[in-house]
Amino acid sequence: MGAVVRRPVAVVAALVLFAEAVGVVLINGILATVVDNQDMSLAGADPAVMSRGAWVTGGVFGCYLLLCGVLLLLAGVRDRAPGRFARVVLILCAVVHGVLGALTVGLVGWAAFACLMVVLGLIVLTLVAYGTGAADKPAEAAGTNTPAAA
């Protein structure tokens, strides 16, 4: 896949992850507010602790999605394959989207599943399009110096 397609895919994937990060933080904020306003305990758990836990979870997961978005945006702007750390982070993000997509079918519905699969597809397409970076180098630099057929 050429640079004409992979750069826009990486940038779109980054923008989608930025929007998803905001959505995750907002949803966890709503859940935290509801739990705090209930003033009831769940099996003896303090509502204030559960509320803080929801805020912390939303913040951590939102920051993780922002990190993934920044890594994809850097890959798209530079038009270079993500490094080893970035690839591991993005692969983990894709796996999380796959698992959440499988869980969401029964809990939320097919529309949420489709959204998660679109994000998963964008991340995987970006990783596959950029490969390991060897395709961007000339043949001499990659060590595959073969004579031309006559």
Side-chain angles (χ1 to χ4, degrees):
M1 186 180 310
V4 175
V5 175
R6 66 184 180 193
R7 290 182 87 173
V9 168
V11 171
V12 167
L15 295 176
V16 168
L17 284 176
F18 292 152
E20 188 178 3
V22 171
V24 164
V25 171
L26 284 176
I27 292 217
N28 276 287
I30 291 169
L31 289 173
T33 304
V34 167
V35 166
D36 201 29
N37 290 336
Q38 286 295 316
D39 199 29
M40 296 169 41
S41 68
L42 181 65
D46 185 19
V49 172
M50 290 190 299
S51 176
R52 280 188 296 251
W55 275 113
V56 169
T57 302
V60 168
F61 197 56
C63 288
Y64 177 69
L65 290 172
L66 283 176
L67 171 68
C68 293
V70 167
L71 295 174
L72 285 171
L73 189 62
L74 286 174
V77 168
R78 294 177 180 168
D79 197 23
R80 285 194 327 202
R84 181 175 291 156
F85 172 76
R87 290 184 72 78
V88 169
V89 169
L90 292 173
I91 288 169
L92 287 174
C93 187
V95 168
V96 166
H97 277 84
V99 170
L100 285 178
L103 293 173
T104 353
V105 173
L107 297 174
V108 181
W110 288 101
F113 172 78
C115 290
L116 285 168
M117 291 304 107
V118 165
V119 178
L120 171 68
L122 287 170
I123 295 169
V124 170
L125 182 60
T126 302
L127 288 170
V128 169
Y130 279 105
T132 59
D136 295 335
K137 299 176 186 173
E140 297 84 23
T144 58
N145 201 2
T146 57

